[in-house]
Amino acid sequence: MLLLAAAFIVAIVLLLYMVSPLISPKPLKLPGAHVVVTGGSSGIGKCIAIECYKQGAFITLIARDENKLLQTKKEIEKYSVNDKQVVLCISVDVSKDYEQVENVLKQAQEKLGPVDLLVNCAGTSVTGKFEDIEVNSFERLMAVNYLGSVYPSRAVISTMKERRMGRIVFVSSQAGQLGLFGYTAYSPTKFALRGLAEALQMEVKPYNIYVTVAYPPDTDTPGFAEESKTKPLETKLISETSSVCQAEQVARVIVKDAIQGNFNSSVGSDGYMLSILTSGMSPVTSITEGLQQVVCMGIFRIVGLFYLGSFDSIVRRCMMQREKSENTDKTE
């Protein structure tokens, strides 16, 4: 049995070695590159723009609020590394009108050159029990979180193919790897990004274009603060099982993975475990990554089952407490 196991591992290593030249992209050089960030006026998007600007990139910020965009532009410009760098601001809703999104991105490319890196960071969240969430919220979240990434990507992909280069980042969430209580409207939109990314990566890989899906954990952003105001108790307790990350830390990881052309981008030990557990048939970009998935999958599944058990326990306790409280109110 040991010999068979050893032979199996050797066969996998040899296979990965043979295909490694096909899956290892060359790093993208950011100095002088044109980086477009949607949802770039605050939170993770803003920090990604700052991180790229620090490395010499030209930035196009896209968001709805023009005032926030202008404030963010001033903040980013403090980090310039040369006097040639430019921060361009465009106020548009990337989830509503594809033609409008296509037109503004054409204008941006006329001013700053072809897009080298597109970061789809526009997104929003609604939490609550499935039956309590308004139906139009499901539609709105799918429009913003999914179509808001489809439209900009669709607008730049042809030029990237012509140039035989480019990077596209979809900012999903750990809630796009694991469905949790309270996220019935939010999680599906983030899961959808992974399906889009996997299919798109297979299409564009021959053109030297690489797609990254980022799965940030709870991150200290204005959006997270707003979401926390309406979280059900169960969701809050589950969220408290892991720490809140800083947007700057998350941005550095995403930019690094995008530059390297990594398909998965995760933060921290929990993020690493989830990326292994949910790797499925997703692309790999190194021999090491593939081997880690093969070796760690079973072990992490055991750990994951303990997490799921604790989450189910939280939900049951909250339900019992709620029913007890309701029965007490009825008897009074």
Side-chain angles (χ1 to χ4, degrees):
M1 289 296 292
L2 288 175
L3 288 174
L4 285 174
F8 179 68
I9 292 174
V10 170
I12 291 174
V13 172
L14 288 173
L15 177 62
L16 290 171
Y17 178 77
M18 290 170 63
V19 302
S20 62
L22 304 176
I23 62 177
S24 300
K26 292 181 180 179
L28 175 71
K29 295 180 181 179
L30 277 186
H34 181 190
V35 178
V36 175
V37 185
T38 70
S41 62
S42 65
I44 294 173
K46 180 177 78 171
C47 291
I48 288 174
I50 290 173
E51 184 65 25
C52 291
Y53 200 68
K54 284 180 178 179
Q55 297 186 41
F58 290 69
I59 306 294
T60 295
L61 292 176
I62 298 178
R64 291 176 301 173
D65 192 318
E66 190 170 358
N67 290 329
K68 281 186 179 179
L69 279 170
L70 294 175
Q71 292 172 4
T72 302
K73 172 184 167 71
K74 292 178 182 178
E75 186 175 344
I76 293 174
E77 288 175 337
K78 296 176 184 177
Y79 297 95
S80 64
V81 294
N82 62 68
D83 55 8
K84 294 182 180 179
Q85 284 179 277
V86 175
V87 179
L88 177 66
C89 294
I90 299 175
S91 175
V92 67
D93 187 334
V94 292
S95 68
K96 285 190 175 180
D97 185 340
Y98 171 71
E99 289 187 1
Q100 187 178 18
V101 173
E102 185 179 38
N103 288 334
V104 297
L105 280 168
K106 281 182 179 178
Q107 293 170 18
Q109 292 184 92
E110 287 171 1
K111 294 179 180 179
L112 301 183
V115 176
D116 297 291
L117 169 60
L118 168 65
V119 183
N120 293 290
C121 203
T124 188
S125 175
V126 171
T127 57
K129 292 181 183 178
F130 182 63
E131 66 272 21
D132 293 336
I133 299 174
E134 297 291 336
V135 171
N136 61 6
S137 293
F138 290 89
E139 298 169 351
R140 181 169 62 88
L141 262 65
M142 186 57 75
V144 175
N145 296 347
Y146 178 68
L147 294 179
S149 292
V150 170
Y151 292 168
S153 302
R154 177 66 175 74
V156 303
I157 199 68
S158 294
T159 304
M160 286 186 174
K161 280 187 171 183
E162 289 171 4
R163 299 175 65 221
R164 293 293 199 275
M165 65 173 293
R167 296 283 196 274
I168 296 176
V169 177
F170 297 106
V171 179
S172 179
S173 164
Q174 285 188 354
Q177 297 172 297
L178 169 66
L180 295 172
F181 189 106
Y183 285 126
T184 52
Y186 179 69
S187 279
T189 66
K190 294 300 187 177
F191 268 87
L193 290 176
R194 167 164 175 174
L196 169 63
E198 288 191 2
L200 181 60
Q201 179 62 97
M202 192 174 288
E203 285 190 21
V204 300
K205 190 175 179 180
Y207 297 89
N208 192 36
I209 301 167
Y210 288 89
V211 177
T212 298
V213 188
Y215 300 104
D218 285 344
T219 305
D220 186 12
T221 64
F224 177 72
E226 192 64 29
E227 173 193 306
S228 297
K229 294 177 182 178
T230 58
K231 273 184 180 178
L233 177 60
E234 293 89 339
T235 311
K236 288 181 180 179
L237 293 175
I238 290 172
S239 295
E240 288 171 1
T241 59
S242 60
S243 58
V244 177
C245 289
Q246 296 302 307
E248 293 82 3
Q249 175 194 4
V250 172
R252 283 193 295 271
V253 172
I254 293 174
V255 171
K256 179 181 177 182
D257 285 325
I259 289 173
Q260 294 298 325
N262 296 332
F263 184 77
N264 287 301
S265 179
S266 60
V267 180
S269 56
D270 287 349
Y272 175 74
M273 183 181 74
L274 276 173
S275 287
I276 295 289
L277 281 172
T278 60
S279 56
M281 291 292 288
S282 64
V284 294
T285 46
S286 72
I287 295 174
T288 302
E289 183 185 8
L291 285 174
Q292 287 172 346
Q293 292 170 357
V294 171
V295 173
C296 297
M297 180 74 77
I299 299 170
F300 285 172
R301 178 57 176 167
I302 294 172
V303 177
L305 290 173
F306 280 103
Y307 271 99
L308 290 172
S310 68
F311 297 161
D312 285 341
S313 178
I314 288 171
V315 173
R316 283 195 300 270
R317 288 201 310 271
C318 289
M319 183 187 72
M320 292 171 64
Q321 290 173 4
R322 192 173 292 110
E323 288 179 346
K324 184 178 179 180
S325 176
E326 289 173 356
N327 291 334
T328 301
D329 292 340
K330 289 178 182 178
T331 57
E332 289 180 354

